[in-house]
Amino acid sequence: EPEVTQTPSHQVTQMGQEVILRCVPISNHLYFYWYRQILGQKVEFLVSFYNNEISEKSEIFDDQFSVERPDGSNFTLKIRSTKLEDSAMYFCASSEAKQWAGGLSQPQHFGDGTRLSIL
Amino acid sequence: SQQGEEDPQALSIQEGENATMNCSYKTSINNLQWYRQNSGRGLVHLILIRSNEREKHSGRLRVTLDTSKKSSSLLITASRAADTASYFCATDIIQGAQKLVFGQGTRLTINP
């Protein structure tokens, strides 16, 4: 069964450094997402991406964050100047785009995540 | 108030028993999804129930949705030790785009 893959599984970075988290979504999917989960807390939405542009973002996704689909398979999340509070598990997800009653009702398939530790 | 709140926060039962987890939400939704998360792993999609559906089955899983009460339940029958995990409900709201809003989750422990 196709799956979403994320690399690296664990990233340790000094505060203030830039970090890029990588994801390979399921190949026929058209919507891509990033979520994060701070230890012991809820999974939080960061951003959704469709047709080479951001379709929605949360208030967490400020100017230090950016996403890119540099080629036909990868989807990346960049954090420009990391802070201690960016330490979390970051999940990539993807879904097909099918309309249902005017809305989108497709399961999102998640990768195993990248554990980001900021020192 | 928060969208997607699970109840109970933790549940411990004996192998073979049934486990029921509940989820309540605040706003109107397109659909509601249940996910499982094993410790340190990603979220595994279990089942999606649309707002015009009332009940759905998948193997040992049974999900109900009551849109009038804005609540859903996940029943796992004949539980196994491998079912030990955290279970989350996630909703997408009709007026929103594609984001999922997750609850805090129920930590389920199946004792052998």
Side-chain angles (χ1 to χ4, degrees):
Chain A
E1 184 175 328
E3 57 182 27
V4 176
T5 57
Q6 290 186 243
T7 55
S9 57
H10 192 188
Q11 175 80 46
V12 181
T13 301
Q14 292 289 331
M15 186 173 60
Q17 295 294 307
E18 175 182 287
V19 66
I20 296 176
L21 309 182
R22 303 180 191 281
C23 169
V24 179
I26 294 172
S27 62
N28 65 333
H29 285 186
L30 299 178
Y31 275 91
F32 314 113
Y33 315 84
W34 285 100
Y35 293 81
R36 79 172 186 191
Q37 185 180 32
I38 295 171
L39 187 64
Q41 297 188 23
K42 290 184 181 186
V43 175
E44 301 173 289
F45 169 80
L46 292 178
V47 66
S48 60
F49 191 86
Y50 171 71
N51 199 27
N52 284 319
E53 61 182 25
I54 290 173
S55 51
E56 189 176 6
K57 61 182 180 180
S58 72
E59 56 193 29
I60 301 169
F61 194 88
D62 61 21
D63 291 344
Q64 70 163 340
F65 291 91
S66 63
V67 289
E68 193 178 30
R69 188 153 163 82
D71 53 43
S73 60
N74 291 285
F75 180 52
T76 62
L77 174 69
K78 181 191 289 186
I79 309 175
R80 287 188 187 82
S81 178
T82 50
K83 305 170 188 168
L84 292 176
E85 54 264 36
D86 294 328
S87 294
M89 205 62 176
Y90 287 80
F91 293 106
C92 173
S94 69
S95 65
E96 297 180 67
K98 288 183 182 177
Q99 292 290 325
W100 176 78
L104 291 168
S105 296
Q106 290 297 317
Q108 294 183 19
H109 298 270
F110 285 74
D112 275 344
T114 293
R115 181 172 300 282
L116 178 63
S117 301
I118 308 300
L119 305 179
Chain B
S1 61
Q2 298 186 41
Q3 185 82 342
E5 305 239 8
E6 287 91 342
D7 163 53
Q9 292 187 359
L11 179 63
S12 181
I13 60 174
Q14 294 300 119
E15 196 166 19
E17 293 180 340
N18 296 341
T20 300
M21 290 159 274
N22 302 297
C23 168
S24 61
Y25 57 91
K26 303 291 183 185
T27 62
S28 296
I29 59 171
N30 260 338
N31 66 62
L32 186 142
Q33 306 183 43
W34 284 91
Y35 286 84
R36 184 186 75 226
Q37 185 181 35
N38 289 77
S39 182
R41 300 297 302 276
L43 295 149
V44 175
H45 181 263
L46 296 176
I47 200 164
L48 180 154
I49 186 165
R50 305 189 194 286
S51 60
N52 66 348
E53 297 176 315
R54 293 295 166 258
E55 188 170 312
K56 204 161 183 180
H57 297 255
S58 177
R60 294 183 296 113
L61 305 181
R62 173 177 165 250
V63 168
T64 63
L65 179 64
D66 187 335
T67 52
S68 67
K69 295 181 179 177
K70 292 187 169 58
S71 67
S72 173
S73 68
L74 170 67
L75 168 67
I76 304 174
T77 59
S79 62
R80 304 168 183 168
D83 295 329
T84 294
S86 291
Y87 291 82
F88 297 88
C89 68
T91 54
D92 72 340
I93 60 176
I94 291 177
Q95 298 303 320
Q98 302 82 31
K99 73 176 184 183
L100 290 178
V101 179
F102 285 83
Q104 283 281 106
T106 293
R107 175 70 191 162
L108 176 65
T109 302
I110 308 300
N111 301 304

